[in-house]
Amino acid sequence: MEIKKAAMAGTLESSDAQVSVEPGTKGIELSIESSVIHQFGRQIKATVLETLNRLGVTDGKVTVVDKGALDCTLKARVECAVYRSNEVAENLPWGGVIR
């Protein structure tokens, strides 16, 4: 799946994350801002990249503003942003792609 247009999912509330995606051509350009970056930065990056990989996304700009979200929340936000960028609104395979 490719990122066709800019899209966003999530909020800036505590225990959530806001994920923005935009089209790109230089592989995955990932930017992470988090209040817990020193403790969990590697895990946040791994979760986002794994989710993009499972969705088949190879190019795009991804920005994550994390407010202490759990891995399952990060996965859901990334998945939602990618689906929104492709205007997928019906028959969503929620959970079927993400393990």
Side-chain angles (χ1 to χ4, degrees):
M1 188 177 296
E2 68 179 281
I3 296 173
K4 294 184 178 178
K5 65 177 192 172
M8 184 183 337
T11 70
L12 296 175
E13 298 293 321
S14 180
S15 300
D16 200 355
Q18 188 176 69
V19 176
S20 303
V21 297
E22 299 176 37
T25 57
K26 302 175 186 175
I28 300 295
E29 297 176 48
L30 179 59
S31 172
I32 300 171
E33 178 185 321
S34 175
S35 57
V36 293
I37 193 84
H38 297 296
Q39 295 97 330
F40 301 108
R42 277 185 256 146
Q43 181 62 35
I44 294 167
K45 180 179 179 179
T47 299
V48 171
L49 292 176
E50 177 186 322
T51 305
L52 292 169
N53 184 49
R54 288 184 191 266
L55 291 168
V57 176
T58 56
D59 295 306
K61 297 177 185 174
V62 180
T63 303
V64 178
V65 180
D66 172 62
K67 298 294 183 178
L70 297 174
D71 283 356
C72 58
T73 302
L74 286 169
K75 290 177 184 180
R77 298 308 188 207
V78 171
E79 188 177 33
C80 183
V82 171
Y83 287 151
R84 285 181 177 171
S85 80
N86 283 274
E87 297 182 353
V88 176
E90 294 180 4
N91 301 318
L92 293 165
W94 293 121
V97 175
I98 307 302
R99 294 187 192 344

